[in-house]
Amino acid sequence: MIAFVVRHSLPFMFVAALLGFALPDASASVFPFLPYVLFSLMLLTLLSMQPSKVLRYLIGTKVWCYSLIHGAGFMALLSFLNVFISMDSDLMLAVMAVAATGSLFATPAIVRALGFDAIEAMAMTIATTLLLPFLIILTVYWYPTSNAELDLVAYGLRLLIFIISPLVLSHLLRRLLSANTLDRILMRTSKYTILLVFAFPFGLIGYFRNLWDQNSILAYQYLLIAFLLSALFFLGAMSVYWRFGKEAALTAAITSGNRNVLLTFTIASGLLGPAFLPLAGAMQLPMYLLPALTKLLHRKL
């Protein structure tokens, strides 16, 4: 059964989001454990990649140019579009925070399931995650909330726990464990790593369901914005990287479309205003539909 779910993991991610929406109480019970799942997924993903291969991409300009487009580029575009839309300030803060968000650490596993270069996707994920803290600070200063102030000590502590610690711990484990021992551990766990991803759509969409129960019309607006954002991230990255070939374009597109909104909430929490979690929940539906659509698109191309 588990092997079947792993083999068909891409559509099951979307099913997990639907189940979370249908079972709001169960979704709410899973949500408090998501930071632990996030930390575990980040660590396992880092351990599964050869550091030298990832570093080869990270020292090049292509990955960092991508990360600037992924974050600052889309933030600038959305700020420009807001001049004509004049979105509510709380919702705009949430939209900008989503744009600042780095790629999901499950992206390499998703990219591998699609048959693309997971190493490059890992480098893109790391680069966008490292830029996230600076972009979030810019976002908070551009769109400040009335009842929240940036506590640099608490913010720095969260960065240390959820961004720096997995990087350092993965490095230490590679130094302390023999290559054979580490390979045996990864061989038993790596193919099931993608199962951890199911917890995110299931646990996050509950906040969108709460909005749906309270104000369905507003929930439809959030859902529309979520689909438009996902389409913008996906198609924007694909069009920019199309000149590097179809596989590179689709890798950039799926990496841009998968946003680690839980990490953003974990490190910035109360700074993001009341609209962020409902929007992050709504993002789970288009975000986890993208991998299956990308697989179909890849077959057609």
Side-chain angles (χ1 to χ4, degrees):
M1 180 62 182
I2 293 179
F4 175 81
V5 173
V6 171
R7 189 163 58 250
H8 300 282
S9 56
L10 298 182
F12 274 117
M13 292 178 192
F14 183 70
V15 172
L18 294 178
L19 286 174
F21 183 84
L23 303 169
D25 292 338
S27 175
S29 66
V30 169
F31 181 79
F33 298 98
L34 290 183
Y36 305 104
V37 178
L38 173 65
F39 185 92
S40 301
L41 180 63
M42 292 174 70
L43 180 60
L44 288 171
T45 305
L46 288 166
L47 284 173
S48 67
M49 301 290 172
Q50 286 293 334
S52 58
K53 293 181 180 179
V54 177
L55 187 61
R56 194 176 304 135
Y57 281 105
L58 283 172
I59 61 177
T61 58
K62 182 182 175 183
V63 164
W64 290 102
C65 287
Y66 165 81
S67 64
L68 288 172
I69 295 170
H70 176 106
F74 282 116
M75 288 172 68
L77 176 59
L78 288 167
S79 292
F80 173 74
L81 292 175
N82 192 49
V83 173
F84 305 99
I85 301 172
S86 297
M87 194 177 293
D88 172 78
S89 59
D90 286 336
L91 184 54
M92 189 58 194
L93 170 61
V95 166
M96 290 291 284
V98 170
T101 297
S103 185
L104 189 69
F105 259 75
T107 299
I110 295 171
V111 168
R112 187 187 294 113
L114 291 168
F116 300 156
D117 185 0
I119 301 294
E120 183 176 25
M122 183 75 254
M124 289 175 167
T125 300
I126 292 173
T128 55
T129 301
L130 291 175
L131 285 182
L132 168 64
F134 306 102
L135 296 179
I136 283 296
I137 289 176
L138 287 176
T139 300
V140 170
Y141 275 114
W142 283 341
Y143 300 94
T145 55
S146 58
N147 58 349
E149 294 183 3
L150 179 60
D151 185 340
L152 288 176
V153 175
Y155 187 66
L157 185 60
R158 291 180 190 134
L159 294 181
L160 177 64
I161 294 171
F162 287 98
I163 294 182
I164 305 301
S165 293
L167 293 170
V168 173
L169 187 55
S170 65
H171 174 72
L172 290 176
L173 287 174
R174 284 191 170 277
R175 296 290 298 271
L176 294 173
L177 298 177
S178 67
N180 290 335
T181 301
L182 189 59
D183 286 342
R184 279 200 308 272
I185 295 172
L186 292 174
M187 191 176 298
R188 293 176 181 176
T189 60
S190 61
K191 66 179 179 179
Y192 301 113
T193 301
I194 201 165
L195 294 178
L196 292 175
V197 184
F198 294 173
F200 297 122
F202 186 86
L204 278 167
I205 201 170
Y207 280 88
F208 174 66
R209 173 59 191 265
N210 291 340
L211 177 63
W212 183 284
D213 291 338
Q214 295 167 11
N215 189 336
S216 60
I217 295 176
L218 184 60
Y220 276 120
Q221 295 175 5
Y222 274 56
L223 187 60
L224 175 61
I225 291 170
F227 270 91
L228 290 174
L229 284 176
S230 292
L232 175 66
F233 297 149
F234 185 89
L235 296 175
M238 186 168 68
S239 62
V240 170
Y241 278 82
W242 190 257
R243 63 192 178 96
F244 294 108
K246 295 182 182 67
E247 182 174 325
L250 289 174
T251 298
I254 198 65
T255 306
S256 181
N258 285 331
R259 300 272 165 158
N260 198 348
V261 290
L262 177 65
L263 179 60
T264 300
F265 176 75
T266 302
I267 66 171
S269 58
L271 300 173
L272 302 178
F276 182 78
L277 277 177
L279 180 61
M283 290 288 298
Q284 303 309 299
L285 289 170
M287 195 164 70
Y288 287 100
L289 190 59
L290 282 179
L293 292 177
T294 305
K295 191 170 185 177
L296 292 174
L297 182 60
H298 178 53
R299 287 174 179 172
K300 288 185 177 296
L301 292 176

